[in-house]
Amino acid sequence: MPPRWKFTPSEAVPAGATFDPQNLKGKNVIVTGGASGIGEFVVRGFVEVGAFVTFGDVDLARGEALAKELGAVFVKCDVLKWEEQLELFKKTLERGGVDVVVANAGLDGEDTILKRQPITPSNDPTEPNLRILRINLIGVAYTARLANFYFSRTPKSDHSLIITASLSSYIDHPFSPEYNASKWGVRGLMRSLRSTTGVSGMRVGVVAPWYVPF
């Protein structure tokens, strides 16, 4: 049976590539994890070029303050809660559609796979909570699912899903197997999605920063 779509592998964007920010003016943009860190800079950048930004975060105080400062829309959103991500997308849809989605929410911290515990003759190992892995990978998978669905509600748009990965998506990251696995995972998610744009109708890419001071 012939394939239902043509496989067309894409190339990485050259480091020196430029773009016209005017193309983003008036676009409806969603950013997860947008209240601080890289996400905050992403929100500010899109607002600066004239996009309408709706962003989610678990930090209610910082999110509301940033939204008030910039004239953006904030939705309290834990990316592991499907209903909260759904509300984030529905708020954006109220503004006419969804053009760009930035799956940025992520977490680093103490790794529960390698976490040490007291050893006695009788104790068993504690179950790891794997929160880092779940937020960084399952949360992004939720975002990708919602983006694919709601992009179809916005015709005549250059739909784009951007995933915040990490240099840890490409290299060994000692002492952080949860984080390392999650970031390799989102890179794998991107590579599958980008190769099926004939079905999904969206461009997909990752950005892979290293440690960023704030």
Side-chain angles (χ1 to χ4, degrees), residues 110-121:
E110 184 181 32
D111 192 286
T112 59
I113 294 175
L114 292 178
K115 184 177 180 179
R116 294 185 177 276
Q117 67 180 83
I119 299 176
T120 69

Side-chain angles (χ1 to χ4, degrees), residues 9-21:
S10 59
E11 298 294 334
V13 176
T18 60
F19 75 103
D20 183 358

Side-chain angles (χ1 to χ4, degrees), residues 26-60:
K27 297 290 187 180
N28 288 311
V29 178
I30 292 174
V31 182
T32 64
S36 62
I38 292 174
E40 178 184 343
F41 278 84
V42 171
V43 169
R44 290 182 181 277
F46 276 113
V47 170
E48 185 177 338
V49 298
F52 300 112
V53 179
T54 306
F55 68 99
D57 204 285
V58 294
D59 191 330
L60 184 61

Side-chain angles (χ1 to χ4, degrees), residues 52-149:
F52 300 112
V53 179
T54 306
F55 68 99
D57 204 285
V58 294
D59 191 330
L60 184 61
R62 292 189 65 152
E64 289 180 342
L66 184 62
K68 184 177 181 180
E69 175 192 346
L70 300 178
V73 175
F74 170 68
V75 178
K76 187 176 183 298
C77 178
D78 179 342
V79 292
L80 287 179
K81 295 181 178 177
W82 174 260
E83 291 298 326
E84 292 187 8
Q85 282 219 53
L86 183 61
E87 179 63 19
L88 176 63
F89 276 77
K90 286 185 174 181
K91 280 289 185 184
T92 307
L93 201 64
E94 291 174 4
R95 307 180 85 166
V98 180
D99 300 299
V100 179
V101 175
V102 183
N104 171 75
L107 180 69
D108 196 5
E110 184 181 32
D111 192 286
T112 59
I113 294 175
L114 292 178
K115 184 177 180 179
R116 294 185 177 276
Q117 67 180 83
I119 299 176
T120 69
S122 59
N123 72 339
D124 293 323
T126 56
E127 179 182 355
N129 65 38
L130 301 181
R131 182 165 175 78
I132 294 171
L133 182 61
R134 292 171 61 237
I135 289 175
N136 294 359
L137 183 54
I138 303 302
V140 171
Y142 282 177
T143 306
R145 163 64 176 163
L146 288 161
N148 187 38
F149 182 85

